[in-house]
Amino acid sequence: MGNEFAGINEVIEVRGWNYHIGKDADDYHKAHPQQANLGTEQGSTVGTRGIYANDPARGYVSAYDDNAPEWANSGA
């Protein structure tokens, strides 16, 4: 869920964002600055598990999270 404060989000001290960083998390934090936000389970959104080199012919992206296309996020 995005910038939703009703329900559980009203009472938890820290809001976690699983696989969902970016505009929704930023908007939520701006609207609720008193509540800490934490990115959880934030692996690369485009990495291929167990692959350690890019291979465009096979569509593999390294799991090192040091590169990303313009439509994805990287923790690097």
Side-chain angles (χ1 to χ4, degrees):
M1 74 175 69
N3 189 1
E4 298 291 331
F5 193 63
I8 188 71
N9 291 335
E10 290 181 89
V11 296
I12 57 176
E13 294 179 16
V14 178
R15 167 86 188 261
W17 295 88
N18 290 358
Y19 304 110
H20 196 95
I21 56 176
K23 183 169 175 19
D24 283 343
D26 291 343
D27 290 348
Y28 183 90
H29 183 63
K30 286 176 189 170
H32 313 286
Q34 75 287 357
Q35 187 180 54
N37 284 245
L38 176 69
T40 54
E41 299 183 22
Q42 298 294 338
S44 174
T45 57
V46 294
T48 307
R49 209 174 270 197
I51 302 297
Y52 300 101
N54 292 335
D55 186 342
R58 293 184 176 158
Y60 294 165
V61 179
S62 70
Y64 290 127
D65 194 28
D66 59 359
N67 55 62
E70 71 274 354
W71 52 264
N73 292 308
S74 171

